[in-house]
Amino acid sequence: DCGQPLNVGSDEMVTINQLVRAVAEIAGKRIECRHIAGPLGVRGRNSDNRLIKQKLGWRPSAPLRSGLERTYEWIERQVRGAPGAGAVARGPGAAAAQTVPAQSHEPDHVGAERRGAAVA
């Protein structure tokens, strides 16, 4: 216990477009990205893991793609296992619309962020 929040993530720099393409590929979806006029946000993201290394003597070692695959598979299992959940279509010809349960099956930190809570 180090008494402060620590960021954990991939130190691989990735653009939002790269992230979108990777998730679509993992999901077996064909998507078309359309960029709309408006303010430009961050062009890319990565995690600075120096503090977690300093405090815990550990750093994440899994590649981003591997983490995305595991996360997608976990979410898919939650959706498939939820009462009343529709089938999750996969593959390039899969329909875009899918039945999603009303109940949230997201990790606690994601739900807290959606509710506006401060999350470490």
Side-chain angles (χ1 to χ4, degrees):
D1 186 17
C2 68
Q4 69 187 89
L6 298 170
N7 288 327
V8 178
S10 172
D11 59 4
E12 298 171 61
M13 177 61 75
V14 62
T15 67
I16 300 305
N17 286 338
Q18 290 169 325
L19 186 61
V20 167
R21 284 191 298 269
V23 172
E25 189 176 294
I26 291 165
K29 304 291 182 187
R30 285 186 298 174
I31 61 169
E32 178 185 327
C33 292
R34 281 182 263 149
H35 300 277
I36 59 172
L40 295 177
V42 176
R43 295 242 185 241
R45 297 291 287 189
N46 67 333
S47 180
D48 181 349
N49 295 318
R50 290 178 293 189
L51 186 58
I52 196 168
K53 175 70 173 158
Q54 175 190 350
K55 296 291 186 178
L56 303 180
W58 175 86
R59 64 181 277 296
S61 59
L64 177 61
R65 173 71 185 224
S66 173
L68 289 173
E69 288 169 350
R70 290 182 63 191
T71 301
Y72 184 88
E73 289 166 5
W74 180 86
I75 292 169
E76 186 175 42
R77 283 193 311 272
Q78 303 311 302
V79 171
R80 286 181 184 267
V88 177
R90 294 193 70 164
Q98 299 175 2
T99 305
V100 178
Q103 180 182 3
S104 173
H105 291 286
E106 54 198 4
D108 290 341
H109 70 281
V110 174
E113 287 174 343
R114 290 185 193 277
R115 293 187 299 275
V119 176

